[in-house]
């Protein structure tokens, strides 16, 4: 990411982003939470990418260089928190589960960002309590540092449905499957199948937000059938692909 912008204060606001648009690479001196009430938001850092729809939120620690990308019509809610206030105790980006109460708290808090009242202070206190209780989700596609892994991962980024085995990819990049398997664990903390599944699920979220039918998404992302895709998707995200873009919210939002 080049030409990184420094915005000291992480904003608290709600806004609409058109499909394919985004917010360029930047960093804050504050922490930030990004939540998609509608559509899917992707956050990219040097360490990898995170994608979240309506029942997940993204935690972005202070100082993290990041860019936002909208998939589908994105209703984005951003919550800024001082660097001294870390209800999650996290020093790296992560994905949080968002239940119905936390969802409504985020939406209400970001729709009146300039209000200063006792009611808003109480709303903020409950929001922080809910954040502390939010379970983290291992929904992350890490970016490898090792050149050999970068070469393999680039092939799969280009086509997540590529069915080749690790041994077959190894012949392309000039390494044994044993070497690549060891590198996946050491560099990314995941096995090759785990990393590929994460990538496929993230790509599926994006395609669903862009309006692709479930069956088409299943095949474009490498599943043998729609039913197999639906099963993995439900076990990972807790809902079916038909709800992947998150429920819509009545009323508009703006900058």
């Amino acid at each position: 990411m080049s030409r990184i912008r420094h915005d000291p204060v992480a904003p608290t606001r709600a806004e609409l982003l058109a499909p394919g648009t985004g917010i360029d690479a930047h960093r804050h001196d504050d922490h930030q939470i990004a939540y998609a009430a509608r559509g899917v938001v992707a956050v990219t850092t040097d360490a990898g990418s995170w994608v979240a729809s309506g029942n997940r939120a993204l935690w972005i620690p202070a100082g993290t260089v990041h860019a936002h990308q909208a998939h589908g019509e994105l209703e984005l809610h951003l919550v800024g928190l001082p660097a001294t206030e870390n209800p999650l105790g996290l020093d790296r980006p992560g994905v949080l589960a968002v239940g119905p109460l936390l969802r409504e708290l985020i939406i209400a808090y970001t729709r009146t960002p300039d209000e200063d009242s006792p009611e808003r202070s109480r709303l903020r206190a409950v929001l922080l309590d809910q954040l502390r209780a939010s379970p983290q989700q291992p929904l992350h596609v890490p970016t490898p540092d090792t050149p050999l892994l970068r070469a393999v991962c680039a092939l799969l980024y280009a086509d997540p449905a590529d069915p080749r085995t690790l041994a077959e990819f190894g012949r392309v990049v000039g390494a044994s499957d044993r070497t690549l398997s060891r590198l996946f664990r050491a560099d990314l903390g995941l096995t090759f199948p785990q990393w590929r599944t994460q990538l496929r699920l993230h790509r599926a979220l994006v395609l669903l937000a862009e309006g692709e039918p479930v069956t088409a998404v299943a095949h474009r992302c490498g599943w043998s059938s729609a039913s197999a895709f639906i099963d993995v998707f439900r076990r990972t995200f807790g809902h079916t692909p038909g709800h992947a873009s998150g429920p819509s919210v009545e009323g508009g939002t703006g900058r």
Side-chain angles (χ1 to χ4, degrees), residues 47-63:
S49 61
W50 290 257
V51 180
S53 55
N55 62 352
R56 301 288 189 273
L58 302 172
W59 168 259
I60 305 163

Side-chain angles (χ1 to χ4, degrees), residues 167-207:
E168 289 171 321
F169 281 118
R171 287 194 285 272
V172 174
V173 302
S176 69
D177 58 340
R178 180 176 295 181
T179 295
L180 291 175
S181 180
R182 176 178 54 79
L183 289 174
F184 264 99
R185 288 188 175 88
D187 193 349
L188 303 179
L190 298 170
T191 66
F192 170 66
Q194 287 171 334
W195 186 91
R196 178 155 61 179
T197 298
Q198 292 286 73
L199 173 65
R200 288 175 170 178
L201 286 168
H202 280 223
R203 185 65 58 84
L205 279 175
V206 168
L207 293 174

